[in-house]
Amino acid sequence: MDYAGFFEQQLGSLRDEGRYRVFADLARHQGQFPKAARYKPDGSVSDVTVWCSNDYLGMGQNPDVIAAMTAAIKQCGAGAGGTRNISGTNHHHVELERELADLHGKEAALIFTSGYVSNWASLGTLASKLPGCAVFSDADNHASMIEGIRHSKAERHIWKHNDPEDLDRLLSQVDPDRPKLVAFESVYSMDGDISPIAEICDVAEKHNALTYLDEVHAVGMYGPRGGGVAEREGIMDRLDVIEGTLGKAFGVMGGYITASTQLCDFVRSFASGFIFTTALPPAVAAGAISSIRHLKQSDTERLKQREMVAALRTGLDKAGIPHMPNDSHIVPVMVGDAVKCKWISDWLLDNAGIYVQPINYPTVPKGTERLRFTPTPLHSQADIEHLVSALNELWSQCALARAVA
Ligand SMILES: *Cc1c(COP(=O)(O)O)cnc(C)c1O
């Protein structure tokens, strides 16, 4: 076997399809979000405005969050020093789990090293340990949920995206006495659409299925205390498990589930991806606590963020740049071609100091390649005008389709 040749050939086919991933080498400027320095391959450095951050509210730069992290490092040192079981449980972790349980109105919470791990470990453990479990997964679920479900080796049924009727049809075909797990998201982050949570719960309840909701793109963003879409709709108690991340709107890192005491204790006790890995650094937990507490009592960031989303959409409309309508904070601009999408992104970065990553297959289906803009409360009206005028120029240069007014 020619190992090196194999790797090269595989990478070559990614390049040919225009979906070879190139990372932008950035240094974020604390206090100047969303500005960053970009380190170019030739060694030079330039200023860019980041337009695709999942630090949706700029909480990664919030002075209280930074102060909490700094204080925790001074108090506890750098790392946790072990797995949660063997000396790694720090008081900050315990406090964070209380804060999260309260956020979602649940009895308990369990934190993981990332949202990916929380989905993979929790879904994997529930689906493999519940005897004869059948899993019902929305067709557009995130890779971390898919991998967890696959890893469980449980029987899988994929229901049509956001379609409670299809879910009902599939649930009806499985023995009513078998355990069932319905897994879905609230905000789907590539199209920015929001699921009909209440209708899905109606169907799941009818079939006595457990419900597992990924609110990764909604926590901190929706609901009066940032508890997510289920909080906004007053139905958090209808979900058996609410999963979230500390790495997106909360601006830090880590993932979690919230649920009943027994369910959290079960995952804590049986999930390999929880047990056999070093706990989050205490300072990360302290930063997350500060961020969650802030967003529980402050609507300022959420309101300003919505204002900037509306302003960007208005600007795009005026310039005739087509963008996908949705009810969330995500503004997808469809390009529909991997090579063009990457070319536009490179042009914006090199010529306009605008950083928006091209979103290509397998993150989205082929033919739906796009730019995904995430305005934050810290983008200015001038940032928006600069972005829209650069896109306008590109749309003329490349003879891209305009939106029909
Ligand atoms: C980003 C993401 C995750 C993973 O969360 P991380 O904390 O980044 O690991 C899980 N689910 C969805 C829907 C996501 O978009």
Side-chain angles (χ1 to χ4, degrees), residues 110 112 117-131 133 135 144-145 147-154 181 210 212 257 262-275:
L110 191 67
F112 297 81
V117 173
S118 66
N119 273 335
W120 182 82
S122 304
L123 285 168
T125 302
L126 291 168
S128 69
K129 299 281 182 199
L130 286 164
C133 183
V135 184
S144 55
M145 302 169 86
E147 289 299 329
I149 294 163
R150 249 192 218 144
H151 177 74
S152 76
K153 299 196 172 69
L181 180 58
L210 282 179
Y212 183 109
I257 58 166
Q262 303 96 312
L263 194 147
C264 287
D265 202 17
F266 180 79
V267 175
R268 183 185 75 90
S269 306
F270 288 99
S272 170
F274 176 83
I275 299 170

Side-chain angles (χ1 to χ4, degrees), residues 54 114-117 119 142 144-145 185 187 189 214 216-217 243 245-248 254-255:
N54 282 339
S114 74
Y116 188 103
V117 173
N119 273 335
H142 188 258
S144 55
M145 302 169 86
E185 302 179 24
V187 177
S189 75
D214 174 320
V216 160
H217 290 277
E243 183 270 347
T245 185
L246 305 168
K248 289 171 182 166

Side-chain angles (χ1 to χ4, degrees), residues 64 174 229 285 293 391:
D64 294 344
V174 172
V229 179
R293 281 187 186 152
L391 288 172

